[in-house]
Amino acid sequence: MLEERLVFRISDTELERRWQAVRAQMKAHGIDVLVMQNSNEFKGGYIRWFTDVAAKFDGPSTVIFPVDEPMTFITSGARHGRRTPAPGSLYRGVGQVLTSPYSIADCNTDHIDGELAVEALSSVRHERIGLVGQGTMRYSFGAHIQRRLPGAEFVNASDLVDRLKAIKSEEEISLIRQSARLQDEVWLDVLNFIRPGLREYEITTHAYRQCQLRGSTDGLILSGSAPLGQAAVKGHRHLQNRVLRQGDQFTMLIEVNGMGGYYTELGRTCVLGKASTELLDEYGIAVAAQEATAARLTPGASPAGIWSEHNAYMRGRGRPEEARLFCHGQGYDLVERPTLRDDDTMLVAPDMNIVVHPTYATPSVYSWTCDNFLIRPHGAERLHETPQKIFELS
């Protein structure tokens, strides 16, 4: 039975809310149908937001969303597959599921998902087609549908959906709070597990297990270690082979989803012994930078202003300006809008889930902190409860 297999299911009421909001915007912009495609769960938020079905790796999944008819869901599977989902199945709001075997690693199948999309689009009104998340579509897919439907007008509808997706409902906020709580618990578990003699990947493997035992289904855990006096830069799994020694520092970023697939991320540093004055002082600068940004996360604030003020803050303390993305929205995606940089036009609004992780490195210190904030009418509420400190372990 489906209910026995699913880790979590978003409510029908929530999905209906999203569909209704999108269709109102489509009608206002004269868009007949939306097309979106995702190929991984880390940044597969578009199709999940519309369907509550997680994207899978390798074989991109595509959703066709007409303004006044049920959706079509396209995924890799049996050749010439076509079925109508039964009531209560995985595919809610979907009128048909189309399948055929294809893979991003097999150039012989580059056209297949595009051809299935053309079939679906041809059966509905498609004079004006809105493409959602063009950066998540493979080139062969987009080129194929535009070549096969030369009479259609293609427009970028990402901003239309992004502005709806960024504002979280009360149901979503409840799940986001649970994700933050999960990460708080896992960091505490890591502090009780870590010890000299372990390799970094052994610690992150333990952390992954603890996340999944608590309901996470996907995400990343980055880590890094070094003796005091060296920058403990965090990295992915293939950079996690170092053996920890007494006196080392260890930093970890837990950016996994929780129940329902919603992402938050928590980052902290610990020392297997006593922290140096330099590490404590630099961490204090990172926390102050985060607090300054959080104070600016008020409804109506502009990303450009927040970006500029953060870099002015860093310059004023003689620390490197931010050249990466230090503050951004989250939801079904690890990174979603608003991206708090100088070229995003989406203003901060109530009920956004925003992570703030000011980060910088010197030759001797890697300094950072990472927490999520929920935007409320009065300002930002920090969701993580883990103390903001360097954890000293005996």
Side-chain angles (χ1 to χ4, degrees):
M1 295 292 293
L2 179 62
E3 294 300 334
E4 294 177 332
R5 300 190 65 192
L6 276 175
V7 174
F8 185 86
R9 190 170 210 182
I10 205 77
S11 73
D12 291 347
T13 301
E14 172 62 18
L15 286 179
E16 292 282 358
R17 179 193 71 82
R18 299 171 187 177
W19 301 335
Q20 182 177 1
V22 172
R23 286 185 165 122
Q25 287 298 309
M26 291 171 69
K27 291 174 182 176
H29 290 81
I31 296 174
D32 300 314
V33 60
L34 299 179
V35 179
M36 66 207 75
Q37 184 179 83
N38 291 128
S39 58
N40 68 76
E41 194 171 347
F42 301 133
K43 295 180 181 176
Y46 287 122
I47 71 165
R48 187 154 193 178
W49 193 79
F50 277 85
T51 67
D52 196 32
V53 178
K56 60 185 180 182
F57 289 91
D58 181 45
S61 298
T62 302
V63 168
I64 310 295
F65 185 86
V67 71
D68 54 8
E69 296 184 45
M71 288 179 278
T72 294
F73 196 99
I74 298 168
T75 188
S76 179
R79 187 184 297 269
H80 306 309
R82 179 179 283 96
R83 67 182 186 275
T84 300
S89 74
L90 181 65
Y91 299 100
R92 290 172 289 170
V94 174
Q96 61 177 347
V97 178
L98 305 180
T99 66
S100 196
Y102 59 87
S103 168
I104 58 175
D106 182 359
C107 63
N108 295 303
T109 65
D110 280 351
H111 66 289
I112 290 178
D113 53 343
E115 193 57 32
L116 293 174
V118 169
E119 176 186 335
L121 288 166
S122 298
S123 66
V124 299
R125 183 178 176 87
H126 61 274
E127 280 79 4
R128 198 158 196 248
I129 300 173
L131 301 178
V132 179
Q134 293 182 67
T136 65
M137 294 179 184
R138 58 177 182 159
Y139 173 82
S140 60
F141 173 83
H144 188 87
I145 62 174
Q146 293 188 61
R147 183 171 62 251
R148 293 276 281 108
L149 298 170
E153 177 189 4
F154 289 85
V155 298
N156 189 344
S158 301
D159 189 67
L160 179 156
V161 174
D162 288 348
R163 292 180 184 277
L164 298 173
K165 190 156 83 60
I167 308 300
K168 305 303 188 281
S169 68
E170 286 305 313
E171 180 174 337
E172 292 177 298
I173 289 170
S174 174
L175 294 167
I176 288 165
R177 290 185 184 279
Q178 292 180 51
S179 295
R181 191 176 310 120
L182 178 157
Q183 293 167 354
D184 286 330
E185 293 175 359
V186 171
W187 174 247
L188 180 60
D189 191 279
V190 166
L191 293 178
N192 291 322
F193 176 78
I194 191 172
R195 60 187 182 276
L198 292 176
R199 294 187 183 273
E200 294 160 341
Y201 74 80
E202 294 179 286
I203 303 167
T204 55
T205 298
H206 175 81
Y208 269 123
R209 182 173 186 272
Q210 295 304 313
C211 290
Q212 292 174 351
L213 287 173
R214 289 168 171 81
S216 175
T217 58
D218 215 336
L220 301 172
I221 300 182
L222 311 185
S223 70
S225 65
L228 290 173
Q230 298 180 23
V233 179
K234 63 186 182 298
H236 290 267
R237 169 64 187 85
H238 58 284
L239 295 172
Q240 295 176 0
N241 198 49
R242 185 177 179 275
V243 177
L244 272 69
R245 301 172 179 84
Q246 184 64 35
D248 281 353
Q249 57 187 306
F250 176 80
T251 188
M252 175 175 279
L253 172 62
I254 305 171
E255 46 181 353
V256 301
N257 62 20
M259 299 296 283
Y262 290 91
Y263 283 93
T264 55
E265 53 185 292
L266 172 68
R268 292 291 188 271
T269 298
C270 65
V271 178
L272 303 183
K274 190 73 173 174
S276 66
T277 300
E278 180 186 30
L279 180 61
L280 294 172
D281 289 346
E282 297 297 330
Y283 182 72
I285 291 175
V287 170
Q290 186 197 66
E291 291 174 345
T293 293
R296 299 183 186 106
L297 291 174
T298 56
S302 73
I306 291 172
W307 174 272
S308 175
E309 289 168 349
H310 172 71
N311 278 330
Y313 178 94
M314 299 303 287
R315 285 195 306 273
R317 282 148 186 79
R319 297 303 185 271
E321 290 188 34
E322 185 60 73
R324 299 175 62 252
L325 188 61
F326 84 102
C327 181
H328 57 84
Q330 288 191 303
Y332 284 130
D333 297 285
L334 275 175
V335 178
E336 71 174 35
R337 296 180 65 200
T339 53
L340 278 297
R341 38 189 273 168
D342 57 2
D343 55 359
D344 194 337
T345 60
M346 185 184 293
L347 303 181
V348 175
D351 299 331
M352 287 180 170
N353 171 34
I354 294 180
V355 63
V356 185
H357 47 74
T359 305
Y360 66 93
T362 71
S364 57
V365 170
Y366 183 74
S367 184
W368 78 306
T369 194
C370 179
D371 297 87
N372 279 76
F373 294 83
L374 178 65
I375 310 306
R376 289 306 199 186
H378 61 276
E381 171 195 349
R382 188 162 75 94
L383 296 179
H384 289 100
E385 297 180 356
T386 298
Q388 293 182 299
K389 67 177 186 178
I390 300 295
F391 290 80
E392 297 176 314
L393 310 177
S394 59

